[in-house]
Amino acid sequence: MEQGFVKTIAHLSDLHFGSANVEVAEAVLADLALCRPSLVVISGDLVQRARRRHFRAARSFLERLPAPWLVVPGNHDIPAYNLLARFTMPFRNYRHYITPDLNPFISDGEVAVLGINTARPLIFNFAHGRINRQQIARIESAFKNLPSSVFKILVTHHPFMGQPDAPGRVLLGRARLALPVLASCGVDLLLAGHFHRSFAGDIGEHHQQLGHPILIAAAATTISTRLRDEPNSYNVITVAPPKVTFEERAWNGFEFEPVGRTSYVCNHSHWLQASC
Ligand SMILES: [Fe+2]
Ligand SMILES: [Fe+2]
C-alpha cells in the first residue's frame, strides 16, 4: 500500500426495506448528496422479507444514490417462509430487482472492491452465513495479482469476527479458513453488517499470525427500525494510504450528523489508531 490518492466511500448496511423508516431513508440520501462519496457500498439485508414490493423499494433507493454502488445480499434477502422459493430460487427477487451479480467486483487502479455473498438458504440457522472454497478462490484471483498500491476491500454481509463484546462468536462459517488467504492476497479492509452495530478495528487483535494487517469495519442499520441499542447510522470511509479514517454519521431525529471519527495507520504489521 503506497501513498498518493484519497478516496471516499460510503458504507451503508441493513436497509431492511419493509421495516425501513422512510424519513431516515430520505435523510440519508440528502446526507450522501452532501458527502459526495465516489462509491456507496451496502453490505446486505436490503429488504426485510424478500418480497417483490420490498425489493422494488430498495431498487428505487439505489437508483437515487449519488454515486455508483456495490451491494451484496444478506440473510434477509432470501425468502424466510416461502420454503419452495427459499430452497429452489433463493435469490430470484434479489437478482431481478437488485443485480444478477452476487459477487460483484470493481477496481479503478487505486481501490479494488469485491463483494462476496455469504447468505445461505440451507444452513441450520439461516441467519448465519458461510463462505465456500470457490468464493475463497475468487477472492484470491481478484486480489492476488493487483499491485500492493491498490487498496483492497472485501465486502460481506456477515463479518469475519463477532461483535466487539464477543469477538470469537463468529457467525460466518469457514471464516478461519478464509482469513489466511485474505491476508496472503493483501486484503486491507473488510466491510460487513448483520449485527446492526457499528465497530472498527484490526482483526489481527483476534486472529494472530495472519501475516498482513487487515482492518475490519461494520456498519449499523442505516435506515431500518430494527435498532440494536444504536441509532441509525452509516460510515464515511476516507482511504488515503497509509491512513484510513472512519466517520460514523448517525440520525439524530432530524438529520445525519457526525458522531465519531477514528483513523488507523498501517505500519506494515498492524493497523494502529492515529489522530484524525
Ligand atoms: Fe440486518
Ligand atoms: Fe443479516
Side-chain angles (χ1 to χ4, degrees):
M1 204 190 329
E2 297 168 2
Q3 301 184 14
F5 67 85
V6 178
K7 195 79 74 179
T8 303
I9 298 166
H11 176 204
L12 287 62
S13 198
D14 295 78
L15 308 180
H16 286 272
F17 276 96
S19 295
N21 182 325
V22 175
E23 183 184 9
V24 181
E26 290 298 321
V28 79
L29 288 168
D31 202 57
L32 287 166
L34 294 174
C35 289
R36 300 175 63 84
S38 57
L39 175 71
V40 177
V41 167
I42 305 177
S43 49
D45 280 358
L46 275 72
V47 298
Q48 178 62 24
R49 284 284 172 243
R51 293 178 179 141
R52 282 184 227 172
R53 61 188 164 87
H54 295 175
F55 276 116
R56 275 196 290 269
R59 179 72 202 192
S60 298
F61 178 86
L62 294 178
E63 290 181 356
R64 295 176 63 196
L65 291 171
W69 42 268
L70 181 144
V71 303
V72 292
N75 51 296
H76 276 265
D77 299 317
I78 297 173
Y81 301 121
N82 181 341
L83 295 183
L84 181 64
R86 176 175 185 83
F87 295 133
T88 61
M89 298 171 290
F91 296 100
R92 181 180 62 173
N93 286 344
Y94 181 92
R95 288 181 192 272
H96 179 76
Y97 289 102
I98 305 301
T99 171
D101 190 353
L102 302 183
N103 301 295
F105 177 73
I106 58 169
S107 176
D108 64 1
E110 295 178 332
V111 173
V113 188
L114 174 66
I116 289 289
N117 169 31
T118 57
R120 296 290 186 271
L122 299 176
I123 57 179
F124 177 69
N125 185 340
F126 63 78
H128 293 196
R130 184 169 289 171
I131 189 166
N132 63 36
R133 293 176 193 278
Q134 290 83 3
Q135 290 174 318
I136 295 171
R138 168 73 180 124
I139 295 166
E140 195 171 23
S141 69
F143 289 135
K144 74 176 180 185
N145 292 324
L146 294 177
S148 62
S149 59
V150 176
F151 191 83
K152 303 169 186 73
I153 302 174
L154 178 64
V155 184
T156 56
H157 177 61
H158 300 85
F160 280 79
M161 62 176 273
Q163 302 183 57
D165 47 5
R169 196 165 175 273
V170 183
L171 305 186
L172 177 64
R174 299 200 180 100
R176 287 186 178 276
L177 180 73
L179 273 170
V181 179
L182 272 50
S184 71
C185 63
V187 171
D188 297 298
L189 172 62
L190 304 170
L191 296 180
H194 187 63
F195 291 126
H196 296 199
R197 294 180 66 188
S198 176
F199 57 87
D202 185 334
I203 201 168
E205 291 177 18
H206 312 290
H207 297 269
Q208 301 301 314
Q209 300 173 338
L210 286 178
H212 173 78
I214 305 177
L215 266 178
I216 183 166
T221 173
T222 303
I223 62 170
S224 87
T225 57
R226 298 168 60 89
L227 299 170
R228 301 283 185 267
D229 300 322
E230 293 186 14
N232 291 118
S233 74
Y234 74 102
N235 292 323
V236 176
I237 305 167
T238 304
V239 180
K243 190 177 196 180
V244 178
T245 300
F246 299 90
E247 179 181 88
E248 184 180 6
R249 298 184 66 82
W251 170 246
N252 64 10
F254 301 97
E255 61 185 358
F256 279 82
E257 63 174 0
V259 294
R261 197 172 163 85
T262 312
S263 289
Y264 295 86
V265 171
C266 185
N267 75 349
H268 300 292
S269 62
H270 295 91
W271 285 96
L272 304 173
Q273 273 201 43
S275 56
C276 294

